[in-house]
Amino acid sequence: MRVAIMGAGAVGCYYGAMLALAGHRVDLIGREALVTAVAARGLILEKGGRQQTVALGAGTDAGVAASADLVLICVKAQDNDHAAAALRPHLSPGAVVLSLQNGLGNAAHLAAQLGRPVLPVVVYVAVQMAGAGHVVHHGRGELVLGDGPAAADTAAVFRAAGIPTEVSDQTEAALWTKLVINCALNPISAITRLPYGRIFADPDAVRMLRQVVDECSRVAQAEGVGLPADIWDQVARIAAAMPEQISSTAQDILRGRRTEIDHLNGDIVRRALRHGLDVPMNGALLAMVHLVEPA
Ligand SMILES: NC(=O)C1=CN([C@@H]2O[C@H](COP(=O)(O)OP(=O)(O)OC[C@H]3O[C@@H](n4cnc5c(N)ncnc54)[C@H](OP(=O)(O)O)[C@@H]3O)[C@@H](O)[C@H]2O)C=CC1
Ligand SMILES: CC(C)(CO)C(=O)C(=O)O
């Protein structure tokens, strides 16, 4: 199968590497520094204490998507419009397009921009770029694919590549659950630049994160979304499964990039406002992430 990955960052490089190792022809669409590094020595995948070089294609031109059967969109949510504009002229009619992103509404937004279906995918992985063309896996890796015509076959391709994948007709609820996890973990890691293991060792930080989750749960309830009863345990389990990971939002801050926070805690704050709910901890974290972002 030919696979194109729009957004060759941590998530795109990790799943691209896994698919390439399973024998698929993978092309990364990314920035110049990544393309130069991959052309010089392939993509480095560091996982389970082992480092290997993966052979795959990399370029800055989205035209490579024209021959892809499967297209993974792995840019941050704020880059969706540019990514869609670059891909739109090239996608072949039969290609399956997936959004591997945090936050609500990305797949629908991309589908409207691309004029074709885009399946949402909930991503449970901890990955980070250690440098151009060098991706490090810190834990997990499961995907939950939204149901749709090609979902079962696509999930089978992922599973055969060693990526635990299930198909669900409840992805909206699953994306909400992931959003709450992100609202708890991402901003505090971005503001402090600390990994989850260190954050969860601090009882005051844990109390604060419980408040974030309680606020998000009230907003979800107001929206008619049923979160799992053990939502706090899920947050704690994710943190425990990847103690060395800093959030993708923290990774943006460390690279001097603007972050996805408006699509995470920012989304909760906007929804709370519409329901007349007060979410002070989400609001405070949102403001603090904006303050540590580049101007
Ligand atoms: N990292 C993680 O562990 C996890 C991340 N996620 C989610 O997955 C999604 C991707 O995250 P992540 O991989 O961390 O993000 P990254 O920022 O590491 O990767 C995105 C990459 O896409 C590049 N990019 C953006 N727009 C374009 C474009 N038009 N053409 C080519 N390249 C482009 C970015 O470059 P530049 O930065 O220069 O703009 C960046 O290199 C996010 O929604 C995130 O929340 C979900 C689970 C875990
Ligand atoms: C799973 C988690 C919390 C991993 O860091 C993530 O989704 C992110 O960083 O955006």
Side-chain angles (χ1 to χ4, degrees), residues 203-226:
D204 291 327
V206 170
R207 249 192 308 281
M208 184 181 94
L209 298 189
R210 277 185 177 274
Q211 194 175 329
V212 174
V213 171
D214 287 346
E215 290 177 5
C216 292
S217 302
R218 286 203 298 280
V219 176
Q221 193 178 14
E223 300 248 321
V225 174

Side-chain angles (χ1 to χ4, degrees), residues 5-16:
I5 303 209
M6 167 47 88
V11 167
C13 287
Y14 175 68
Y15 289 105

Side-chain angles (χ1 to χ4, degrees), residues 6-13 29-31 59-60 73-77 79 82-84 86 100-103 106 123-129 178 182 186 242 245-249 251-252 255 257 260 264:
M6 167 47 88
V11 167
C13 287
I29 304 163
R31 304 299 192 195
T60 54
I73 301 183
C74 305
V75 298
K76 294 263 167 51
D79 294 323
H82 279 129
L100 274 72
Q101 298 172 300
N102 283 328
N106 288 306
V123 185
Y124 285 100
V125 76
V127 282
Q128 184 175 357
M129 296 306 286
K178 183 72 200 292
N182 291 124
N186 287 41
M242 44 188 83
Q245 171 81 356
I246 58 167
S247 68
S248 55
T249 312
Q251 294 173 38
D252 282 334
R255 290 189 305 127
R257 291 281 194 274
E260 221 175 12
L264 305 176

